[in-house]
Amino acid sequence: MKHYDIIYSTCAHESIECLYNLYENIQKFHPGLYAAFIVHANPDLYAKKDEIPRAENLIWHPDPTVKERFTSKLFLGHLENFRYASTVCDFHFFSTLASNCMFVRPTDGEQIAKTPMLAPRATRRARHDPPRPNLHRHCHCVDASRVADLLR
């Protein structure tokens, strides 16, 4: 089974070119990390997936669906991405990205590993989210083993 340090998940509907730009951006700003990108596309975008170069770390969820705003479908798309990725590869961290996010400087793998999980404590209060200077402000990474335990 293929191993990745981190998998980035997106639910996408934009053009195939925009999606490939995001994939290239992830590869560019993750030196020293083996990063993968999993896409849960809408049917129109999924039909165009063969228009971009194939890469083993660009994973397409095999069940394209339409995601509607103001519903749970975006969350469910990321959850399905996690479940599918868990069947085809092994990874340490999983992070959701909006399909229009871009990294602007290299990502620090050590910083990802030091970031506490954003899970509630016994007091029901969320843990403080420390500053992460090398991560996009909307990029939250979670330890894949913790998510897998929650899904069981």
Side-chain angles (χ1 to χ4, degrees):
M1 190 177 283
K2 201 73 176 153
H3 174 77
Y4 298 100
D5 295 316
I6 187 165
I7 290 188
Y8 288 101
S9 167
T10 194
C11 297
H13 64 274
E14 289 87 5
S15 72
I16 196 74
E17 294 84 8
C18 290
L19 187 68
Y20 194 67
N21 286 342
L22 177 55
Y23 167 77
E24 290 179 319
N25 176 265
I26 289 170
Q27 299 311 305
K28 177 180 179 179
F29 288 104
H30 287 76
L33 289 175
Y34 199 44
F37 183 45
I38 185 167
V39 180
H40 203 283
N42 69 11
D44 293 336
L45 185 63
Y46 188 80
K48 297 177 181 178
K49 70 183 179 87
D50 293 329
E51 293 178 17
I52 58 175
R54 291 182 184 254
E56 70 176 11
N57 60 342
L58 175 57
I59 304 165
W60 291 88
H61 190 284
D63 184 24
T65 56
V66 175
K67 283 69 150 185
E68 298 161 353
R69 290 173 44 155
F70 309 113
T71 69
S72 62
K73 289 190 176 185
L74 282 174
F75 170 75
L76 294 174
H78 287 295
L79 185 60
E80 286 303 314
N81 275 351
F82 182 88
R83 287 183 174 147
Y84 181 69
S86 296
T87 66
V88 297
C89 61
D90 180 35
F91 50 94
H92 287 300
F93 293 96
F94 182 85
S95 179
T96 59
L97 288 179
S99 56
N100 60 352
C101 283
M102 289 286 181
F103 291 88
V104 295
R105 53 186 168 251
T107 300
D108 182 355
E110 289 181 27
Q111 186 68 34
I112 291 172
K114 290 178 188 174
T115 301
M117 302 314 113
L118 304 175
R121 295 182 188 174
T123 61
R124 297 282 201 218
R125 293 193 178 125
R127 292 182 182 165
H128 171 67
D129 191 11
R132 292 172 283 174
N134 291 327
L135 296 177
H136 186 281
R137 67 185 176 95
H138 296 294
C139 172
H140 297 287
C141 300
V142 294
D143 185 314
S145 62
R146 283 194 64 171
V147 175
D149 289 343
L150 294 172
L151 294 175
R152 288 182 202 170

